[in-house]
Amino acid sequence: MEIEKEVKKMTLGHEFGAGASCLKCKDKCEGFELHFWRKICRNCKCGLTEHNVQMISEENKKVGKLFEDTKYTGLIAKLKTDGVPSYRGNMVTISMPSSGTAYIVPPSASSSSAVRPPATAGSVQPAGGAAGPARGAAGPAGGAAGPAGGTAGPAGGTAGPAGGAAGSSGGVRPPAASLTPLKANRVPVTVSLASANTVPRDVPMMSVTYEWAPPVANKYLAARYIELLPAEKRPVAGTEGAVYRRQQMARQLPEHDQDPAQCHELSPAEVKQMQQFVRKYKDEALGVADVILPEEMALVRAGGGAGGAHGAGGAGYGPGGVVAGAGGPGSGAMGAPGSQQAGLPQQAFSCNHCQQPMRVGEPAVYAERAGYDKMWHPACFVCCNCSELLVDMIYFWKKGKLYCGRHYGDSEKPRCGGCDELIFSNEYTQAEGQNWHLKHFCCFECDCILAGETYVMENDKPVCQPCYMKSYAVKCSSCQLLVDPEAQRVSYGDFHWHADPQCFKCSGCSKCLVGQRFMAVKNFLFCSVDCKKKIVV
């Protein structure tokens, strides 16, 4: 019965984005019109992400469905209207001292008089606070944090209510601020530096809105993570980095890889296979990484830092259930701007990707499925296939490698070169180094079936001979006729000739130049300098 429901639900959402202008083709495209199974525009052949369509709500629903029935349900919320799970992308605005500003955080920053942000459902608890009533500082399950599952104890030392004692660098840390995961309405959450008595009033401040930031309690940790990404890939609202994130969200996590309703005409058997495939990767491969200081993770893994990392740091939940410290023992370099040790290599910790050492005070990315003995630089947490940053740190782990969702799917199932869907049928064809549903090995222009027909590959897409002659064939510079795809031809720059004596000949003496040395001047061919002088003055 459930499979029959999935078959009935199948749709490609042809009305979504209809008429939107193409950002790539400009006025050449009449507006977005979804092809009935290719998932591209019928008018310009570009994808939906190349058109001016606001995809935020649709992408959030897609990722929400991905996290449904997993340990990452703390990252999603049910929409009140229809109960659809929606991803809370953690859009935040962070106020920080302007770059280049040097100052010393006064001792009052660690005193109990520091102002804490109020604890609300969905927010990360301030330093030293208990787990909140709904989604507090604990992992997605909502319980108290800590490797052993218990309440943070005094093992790591007694914490001050506003952030505890200074870290190993000797500097005094400002209190951890609260980064509140965004609700479904995506109104940015503003996180200020702390209280007025934390930073002198005359210190210039700068606010930056990120379309996404790691959901950790320590704003310095979140901001520093983003600073360590390539500049063109930082998800700052209104920049190319934000556009890059949205494009990668669509590229790396295709909704037709997880939802049979987004696929074209699956049989009941194929729907069942797809559901089993999705369940398998949710149980065995899907993960959301944590951002933690390596020195704090070392304390947590040693066992003695369980109380310190949570109690002293006011840590937020890491999506994998490990405490993402906001500045506990060993985190002074992050908590105290201007720390003398910040930026120095730490030979004890190295990146699993580039093998280079981590630096003091700089956060590392941890993937629970890989094991917390492995860590990555923020810019090194990439797919092993496409080398793109794993969007929002959503990864798939398989045989010791990190994958984005798309390339994990490719490693498990063949993908159709026509509809871009994974193939769950036992019968499919292979051509030109790609896999195809039998019904989808069609002309890219007119959709006619190409089985047993002559076709030409253009931009890795098969095109039938009539469509090739109409849209792609080149014109012979001699006879001015189109060159058939099966005919031999000679090309020189932008000029082309039939490779026969009637067309490929000297413009001065008409000597056949097939297999001979020649000179070309625009669309003229010459066998010698003397013949060239006859024509070109």
Side-chain angles (χ1 to χ4, degrees):
M1 183 62 69
E2 290 298 322
I3 293 177
E4 291 179 0
K5 289 181 180 178
E6 289 295 337
V7 172
K8 290 180 181 179
K9 282 166 51 182
M10 286 183 193
T11 174
L12 291 180
H14 287 75
E15 295 182 359
F16 183 75
S21 59
C22 183
L23 302 174
K24 185 176 180 181
C25 301
K26 307 296 183 183
D27 294 337
K28 295 179 181 179
C29 176
E30 297 177 5
F32 185 76
E33 181 183 352
L34 183 64
H35 186 280
F36 64 102
W37 53 263
R38 288 190 188 277
K39 303 172 185 65
I40 59 173
C41 176
R42 295 172 65 98
N43 294 319
C44 67
K45 311 299 184 185
C46 294
L48 184 61
T49 55
E50 278 82 45
H51 288 76
N52 188 23
V53 180
Q54 293 298 318
M55 294 287 292
I56 294 175
S57 62
E58 294 299 317
E59 292 293 342
N60 285 348
K61 290 179 182 179
K62 175 185 70 176
V63 181
K65 187 171 181 64
L66 177 67
F67 289 155
E68 192 175 27
D69 300 324
T70 70
K71 66 187 296 181
Y72 305 107
T73 52
L75 296 175
I76 64 177
K78 295 281 187 179
L79 297 182
K80 294 180 180 180
T81 52
D82 51 13
V84 176
S86 181
Y87 176 52
R88 297 180 303 183
N90 202 41
M91 184 178 188
V92 295
T93 297
I94 301 179
S95 297
M96 301 284 286
S98 299
S99 59
T101 302
Y103 66 93
I104 299 175
V105 179
S108 60
S110 62
S111 69
S112 60
S113 62
V115 177
R116 305 183 192 179
T120 58
S123 66
V124 180
Q125 288 293 316
R135 300 182 189 91
T151 304
T158 302
S168 60
S169 66
V172 178
R173 294 180 291 102
S178 171
L179 289 187
T180 306
L182 195 67
K183 303 297 183 184
N185 58 13
R186 292 184 62 86
V187 177
V189 176
T190 301
V191 181
S192 60
L193 185 63
S195 60
N197 59 353
T198 299
V199 180
R201 293 183 179 180
D202 58 347
V203 172
M205 303 292 289
M206 178 178 66
S207 294
V208 180
T209 298
Y210 302 104
E211 290 203 352
W212 174 86
V216 295
N218 188 338
K219 68 178 181 302
Y220 290 112
L221 203 66
R224 185 59 179 147
Y225 163 87
I226 293 175
E227 288 175 358
L228 293 172
L229 301 178
E232 70 278 8
K233 297 181 179 180
R234 296 170 190 163
V236 178
T239 67
E240 62 176 332
V243 174
Y244 168 80
R245 173 183 172 265
R246 291 194 293 271
Q247 290 176 338
Q248 291 303 311
M249 185 70 75
R251 173 72 178 168
Q252 294 183 23
L253 303 172
E255 58 184 347
H256 47 270
D257 279 14
Q258 57 166 312
D259 187 357
Q262 302 300 323
C263 298
H264 179 242
E265 296 182 350
L266 296 185
S267 68
E270 290 172 319
V271 169
K272 183 177 180 180
Q273 286 189 48
M274 184 173 186
Q275 290 173 334
Q276 293 172 342
F277 168 74
V278 172
R279 185 69 265 164
K280 181 175 181 288
Y281 74 60
K282 285 186 176 184
D283 291 341
E284 300 178 6
L286 174 65
V288 183
D290 305 298
V291 174
I292 313 174
L293 291 175
E295 46 268 49
E296 287 193 352
M297 176 56 77
L299 287 175
V300 173
R301 294 186 67 224
H310 178 61
Y317 67 88
V322 172
V323 174
S331 66
M334 175 58 67
S339 169
Q340 295 300 312
Q341 296 183 12
L344 296 178
Q346 299 187 91
Q347 300 302 327
F349 307 113
S350 61
C351 174
N352 193 60
H353 178 76
C354 69
Q355 309 304 317
Q356 295 300 308
M358 312 302 292
R359 293 184 176 274
V360 175
E362 293 188 350
V365 181
Y366 291 84
E368 182 185 20
R369 292 192 185 275
Y372 286 104
D373 59 328
K374 298 179 181 64
M375 67 193 78
W376 287 263
H377 291 112
C380 291
F381 197 65
V382 298
C383 172
C384 67
N385 186 298
C386 62
S387 298
E388 296 290 353
L389 290 177
L390 292 167
V391 63
D392 290 14
M393 303 193 302
I394 300 170
Y395 69 90
F396 291 74
W397 181 255
K398 179 182 176 182
K399 296 181 179 179
K401 294 182 178 180
L402 291 167
Y403 290 86
C404 67
R406 169 175 291 275
H407 291 114
Y408 172 82
D410 291 349
S411 74
E412 291 284 312
K413 298 286 182 181
R415 187 180 297 278
C416 178
C419 67
D420 196 48
E421 296 171 15
L422 297 176
I423 300 175
F424 292 95
S425 171
N426 293 327
E427 296 183 353
Y428 62 95
T429 188
Q430 292 181 316
E432 305 296 336
Q434 299 183 67
N435 304 296
W436 311 79
H437 286 112
L438 296 178
K439 60 188 176 184
H440 289 163
F441 188 58
C442 307
C443 173
F444 190 63
E445 296 293 330
C446 69
D447 291 329
C448 71
I449 301 294
L450 292 175
E453 301 293 334
T454 300
Y455 65 89
V456 183
M457 294 300 291
E458 285 291 332
N459 301 318
D460 294 327
K461 301 296 182 183
V463 179
C464 69
Q465 186 166 346
C467 286
Y468 174 84
M469 295 300 291
K470 177 183 178 181
S471 304
Y472 298 98
V474 296
K475 184 181 293 186
C476 176
S477 296
S478 178
C479 69
Q480 300 301 305
L481 298 177
L482 295 176
V483 180
D484 188 275
E486 295 184 289
Q488 288 187 320
R489 77 182 189 202
V490 178
S491 297
Y492 185 83
D494 295 330
F495 301 99
H496 312 274
W497 298 265
H498 287 101
D500 57 45
Q502 289 75 33
C503 294
F504 195 65
K505 60 185 179 180
C506 176
S507 299
C509 67
S510 298
K511 175 184 176 182
C512 177
L513 296 177
V514 177
Q516 304 295 318
R517 294 174 64 87
F518 68 91
M519 294 181 289
V521 180
K522 295 184 179 181
N523 61 328
F524 295 104
L525 296 171
F526 302 102
C527 63
S528 64
V529 175
D530 291 338
C531 283
K532 177 184 175 183
K533 289 180 179 178
K534 296 177 183 178
I535 306 296
V536 180
V537 180

